[in-house]
Amino acid sequence: MAFSLRPKDVFDELRKTVVGQDDAIREISVALVKHLVGHPAPNLLLVGNSGSGKTTLMRSVEQFLSRTPGLREYANVVRLNANVLAEERQGYGKVVLGRLYANAKKMLGANASRDDLVRAVERGIVFIDEVDKIRADVRGEPNVRGIVAQEALLTLMENENVDFEADGDTFLINSAHVLFVAAGAFEELYESVLRRATLGQDVTPMKPVVVVSASGEVREELPFHLADYLKYDDLFRYGMTPQFVSRFEAIVVLNDLGEGDLARIFVEPEGSIFRTSREYFRRFGIDLQITRNALIAIAWDASRQKRLGARALRETFRRVIRGLEFEPAAAGVLTIDEDMVKRAIAARESGTR
Ligand SMILES: Nc1ncnc2c1ncn2[C@@H]1O[C@H](COP(=O)(O)OP(=O)(O)OP(=O)(O)O)[C@@H](O)[C@H]1O
Ligand SMILES: [Mg+2]
């Protein structure tokens, strides 16, 4: 196939919705282009804290493929939660093939030939979210659901011929060319690798560094980046079986989002919190604005709630905006300023509201 799509084009497109994760976007762009041209593409495992953009990234790839003319026909994409694999009755990942098949039918139309359908399934792209929820053991106890789910995926990823049933027919599929992208937060993994790095177990112990934030606050931080310390071993210990993890050619660690990223996430992407809020106020003839300092204050507050990632923005903003949403001011310009944000944060801190 003559194919003019370049990884950089995919990267530029994905970056419009995913902020601060350029490395991950780069890897996924290359994998996608390889897959689409029929070159062997690496299966990817995305690891990143909660709210760092894993699901957002997968969703944005899905949207990119389905709304780009010329790609739609090649892009048989399904996204599912890893838990689904633990529940399936047919066993061994057939639910994934069934979804790819159903999707292929939708893409190619009711008159598609059997061969075309089979080909579309064999060239599918499978996103598996929340893959950290299918551990083979949890606190030393075997986790049957996790074992079942990991085995199901393994069967599909082992490049063997797999059969499945659909429309009362049996199909034999070679899954060697299906592209798998899995993602998970692996929360305790982060803690345990951090402990290893802080104690200096097999590595030089980390020393805290002094950082000055955009809001002028000075604090000590550990320069810890999971990507620098993560080993396959850590994933095995977490409860992902070696056979399973080794089917992923690349482990891609997403960054923890800093204040600058959070500020951009708050305003920039299509459907961002701020844009959505603007839409709401526009209905009342109000033009919602925000000052730069107010934006910095929101991002700063959200960045303190490390476990929530970008989801913290929603919590902070809700405190600022809820009164105004209930009782919008008269038509005109409504500007959120730093004071309003600080008051909302102070109210939370003093437990007033
Ligand atoms: N890097 C990012 N770029 C743009 N938006 C982001 C990013 N990270 C998070 N968000 C926003 O925060 C919300 C939560 O992000 P997302 O669902 O992608 O997190 P996640 O990494 O999948 O977390 P979890 O492990 O909890 O599933 C999304 O609604 C999205 O708008
Ligand atoms: Mg997610």
Side-chain angles (χ1 to χ4, degrees), residues 99-116:
R99 293 236 188 143
L100 283 172
Y101 176 82
N103 212 40
K105 261 181 43 176
K106 237 191 293 164
M107 278 167 46
L108 302 175
N111 299 327
S113 73
R114 190 189 154 94
D115 280 357
D116 283 346

Side-chain angles (χ1 to χ4, degrees), residues 18 27 32-33 40 42 48 59 86 163 167 193 231 268 273 322 331:
V18 185
E27 296 241 17
L32 270 179
V33 170
R59 217 184 268 147
D163 62 82
D167 295 337
V193 178
K231 300 181 186 164
E268 281 178 21
I273 300 174
R322 61 187 165 189

